[in-house]
């Protein structure tokens, strides 16, 4: 399922009463197209005179990019509510998922038979559910050991990566293409020379409609 604003508000109210004694104040809720997170509590902060942080300006965000089982959507909402609980009460944790977070997460898991975790690992089916058509600028490479890899560049670092990726140790071959295949949505957009291994047969299947890119001075364009 993909959450709606109404669904998130309803679950927020339900879990607020059940897990937080109804003490969490309502906050703005927004849907996101981000693929880098399932949920997030955005906030502002300023340093107190004693060196601790004062948190304010909270916004609750849930990504709707992937089609998830309802239980995982619920767990995502609860996960972010723990962050909100800690920061809105001006509690100072040892890390983003520090001692306070872990303690509250374990309490909820035991008391309410949940399966909250610090991080989420998406299944292949969930990754495949992101069907957005987006432009991907891809360096397709082959290492000296024969393994195939890709790097998807951010537009702002395309020229830098064009120059630096060939210098990766054991790089044997490389070429640049542009593709809108949703398969590539699952990979992060790189700002540094980093590669992600993809099985050769799977990679070629998703490069069928890719167009080659060439560099002409300060211009990178589709090869004619």
């Amino acid at each position: 399922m993909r959450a709606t604003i109404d669904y998130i508000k309803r679950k927020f109210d339900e879990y607020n009463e059940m897990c937080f004694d109804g003490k969490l104040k309502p906050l703005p809720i927004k849907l996101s197209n981000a693929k880098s997170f399932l949920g997030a509590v955005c906030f502002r902060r300023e340093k107190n005179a004693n060196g601790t942080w004062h948190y304010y300006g909270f916004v609750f965000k849930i990504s709707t990019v992937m089609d998830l089982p309802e239980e995982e959507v619920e767990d995502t909402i609860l996960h972010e509510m723990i962050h909100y609980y800690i920061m809105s009460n001006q509690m100072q944790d040892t890390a983003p998922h520090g001692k306070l977070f872990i303690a509250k997460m374990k309490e909820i898991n035991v008391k309410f038979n949940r399966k909250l975790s610090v991080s989420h690992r998406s299944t292949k089916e969930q990754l495949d559910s992101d069907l957005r058509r987006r432009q991907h600028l891809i360096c397709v490479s082959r290492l000296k050991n024969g393994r195939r890899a890709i790097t998807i560049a951010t537009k702002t670092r395309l020229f830098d990566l064009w120059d630096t990726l060939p210098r990766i140790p054991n790089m044997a071959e490389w070429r640049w293409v542009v593709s809108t295949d949703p398969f590539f949505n699952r990979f992060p957009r790189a700002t540094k020379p980093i590669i992600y291994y993809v099985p050769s047969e799977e990679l070629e299947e998703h490069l069928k409609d890719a167009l080659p890119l060439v560099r002409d001075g300060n211009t990178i364009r589709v090869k004619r």
Side-chain angles (χ1 to χ4, degrees), residues 152-169:
I152 300 180
T154 60
K155 288 184 178 180
T156 56
R157 298 303 302 274
L158 178 57
F159 284 92
D160 290 339
L161 291 171
W162 194 287
D163 293 332
T164 57
L165 280 167
R167 297 201 290 269
I168 287 180

Side-chain angles (χ1 to χ4, degrees), residues 32-168:
S32 170
N33 287 323
K35 65 176 181 178
S36 57
F37 63 83
L38 297 183
V41 176
C42 300
F43 59 90
R44 301 178 69 182
R45 68 177 187 174
E46 56 187 24
K47 212 158 198 178
N48 297 317
N50 63 1
T52 61
W53 292 102
H54 174 72
Y55 301 99
Y56 65 100
F58 301 103
V59 178
F60 206 79
K61 290 186 177 182
I62 298 294
S63 175
T64 58
V65 166
M66 288 190 289
D67 187 3
L68 300 173
E70 184 171 8
E71 184 177 10
E72 290 191 37
V73 176
E74 292 174 337
D75 285 351
T76 298
I77 294 170
L78 262 172
H79 178 114
E80 300 310 323
M81 289 179 74
I82 297 175
H83 284 303
Y84 180 46
Y85 164 78
I86 292 170
M87 290 186 291
S88 64
N89 284 290
Q90 305 306 321
M91 301 162 72
Q92 308 293 306
D93 208 346
T94 56
H97 296 106
K99 293 181 179 179
L100 296 178
F101 183 95
I102 296 297
K104 188 65 177 177
M105 180 184 73
K106 288 182 176 178
E107 174 193 319
I108 292 173
N109 281 342
V110 171
K111 192 172 181 180
F112 302 104
N113 194 30
R114 304 298 308 189
K115 297 178 181 177
L116 304 180
S117 63
V118 169
S119 61
H120 173 270
R121 178 168 290 184
S122 301
T123 65
K124 182 181 184 301
E125 289 74 20
Q126 290 167 1
L127 292 170
D128 287 342
S129 71
D130 181 2
L131 299 177
R132 294 172 298 166
R133 286 280 175 180
R134 305 167 62 201
Q135 185 185 75
H136 301 286
L137 304 168
I138 308 168
C139 179
V140 182
S141 56
R142 184 190 303 276
L143 282 296
K144 290 180 180 178
N145 61 9
R147 297 185 71 181
R148 302 292 301 282
I150 65 168
T151 304
I152 300 180
T154 60
K155 288 184 178 180
T156 56
R157 298 303 302 274
L158 178 57
F159 284 92
D160 290 339
L161 291 171
W162 194 287
D163 293 332
T164 57
L165 280 167
R167 297 201 290 269
I168 287 180

